[in-house]
Amino acid sequence: MDGFWFFWAMWLVVIAIQFFDESSRKQKWIVTCLLIISTSSIVIPFLTISLRMPLIIFAIISFTYIARLDMKNIFYAYILSTLTAAVFLMVNYFIFFEPVWLYVSPLIMVSFLTLFSNIVFMKNQKKRVAILVSGFVQGEGLLVVLLWHQSHPSFSTFIYGDYIVLDMLGMSLFLVLCWNLIENFVEFIKKKWINGKLGPQHSPGKVNV
């Protein structure tokens, strides 16, 4: 993977924010997305591996958001992000150690499994995104440790947060945001129906005296 799905998903997110986000932080999020896209080619050497910049930015945003929650929500977010990390690590284990058992694209497997785990166990839309990103960051870190512990040949050239990971993360974020939009649309229709604006309009009948 060369980052195609990552760039595609990020540009769609930028378009969605531009046309559908009415909050005061709209411009801030657009600038952040453009920063993530523009730094995708930056690779930073760190000890025996290298770090690709976008995942570092994702990690800072995600962990900053989660750190502002209360202890109960932080603990719950940690459990769900660990679940996401486990899904990510499981699929990547097969990529590096047992590729013969991969019958479905890793991109599809990770994207839909993480989408399912997030929408089932987390109802808050902002927390879904933060937990998803946190899970990928943790999962990639665990993968680095696993490759190092097993002395895998790929470890010497491994790039933390490389395009294959960014593709998975970008597609997963896109699916989660699409689900959030569907939920918002359904809630909008429900409110309109309750208020009688979409219900059947009955004209008052004539009364014969």
Side-chain angles (χ1 to χ4, degrees):
M1 299 180 188
D2 57 359
F4 170 80
W5 293 108
F6 164 70
F7 292 117
W8 177 79
M10 290 303 300
W11 280 114
L12 285 180
V13 170
V14 171
I15 294 172
I17 294 174
Q18 176 65 34
F19 290 101
F20 298 106
D21 189 1
E22 299 179 356
S23 67
S24 59
R25 297 185 176 182
K26 175 179 179 177
Q27 296 302 323
K28 171 187 173 182
W29 288 117
I30 291 178
V31 171
T32 301
C33 290
L34 293 177
L35 177 64
I36 291 172
I37 293 171
S38 61
T39 58
S40 60
S41 61
I42 299 177
V43 178
I44 304 172
F46 180 75
L47 299 178
T48 57
I49 61 172
S50 299
L51 312 175
R52 195 170 290 279
M53 195 64 184
L55 196 62
I56 299 175
I57 299 175
F58 274 122
I60 294 172
I61 297 172
S62 172
F63 292 148
T64 300
Y65 175 83
I66 294 176
R68 293 176 179 174
L69 302 175
D70 57 68
M71 289 303 299
K72 179 181 178 182
N73 283 312
I74 290 177
F75 180 71
Y76 190 61
Y78 173 75
I79 293 176
L80 293 186
S81 62
T82 302
L83 176 61
T84 301
V87 171
F88 175 86
L89 185 62
M90 176 189 70
V91 175
N92 278 275
Y93 173 83
F94 285 109
I95 293 176
F96 285 96
F97 295 96
E98 301 289 344
V100 70
W101 294 104
L102 282 176
Y103 298 107
V104 182
S105 167
L107 176 69
I108 295 176
M109 290 177 65
V110 172
S111 300
F112 281 93
L113 287 174
T114 53
L115 170 69
F116 179 77
S117 63
N118 271 271
I119 64 177
V120 169
F121 297 108
M122 176 53 68
K123 302 302 179 185
N124 184 283
Q125 296 181 350
K126 291 182 180 179
K127 291 177 185 176
R128 282 176 184 167
V129 176
I131 289 169
L132 180 68
V133 173
S134 174
F136 270 79
V137 172
Q138 293 179 51
E140 182 77 337
L142 292 172
L143 179 61
V144 170
V145 174
L146 179 63
L147 294 177
W148 170 77
H149 184 265
Q150 297 294 328
S151 300
H152 196 278
S154 300
F155 180 75
S156 58
T157 58
F158 189 83
I159 299 178
Y160 179 88
D162 207 3
Y163 285 125
I164 183 173
V165 179
L166 295 178
D167 278 342
M168 293 178 183
L169 178 57
M171 182 58 68
S172 299
L173 283 173
F174 175 72
L175 292 176
V176 169
L177 292 174
C178 283
W179 186 267
N180 290 348
L181 288 175
I182 292 173
E183 286 185 341
N184 292 338
F185 179 73
V186 171
E187 188 65 25
F188 172 78
I189 295 297
K190 186 187 298 184
K191 289 180 179 179
K192 290 291 186 181
W193 185 272
I194 292 175
N195 293 334
K197 294 183 179 180
L198 293 180
Q201 301 295 325
H202 298 287
S203 57
K206 294 183 179 180
V207 178
N208 295 323
V209 180

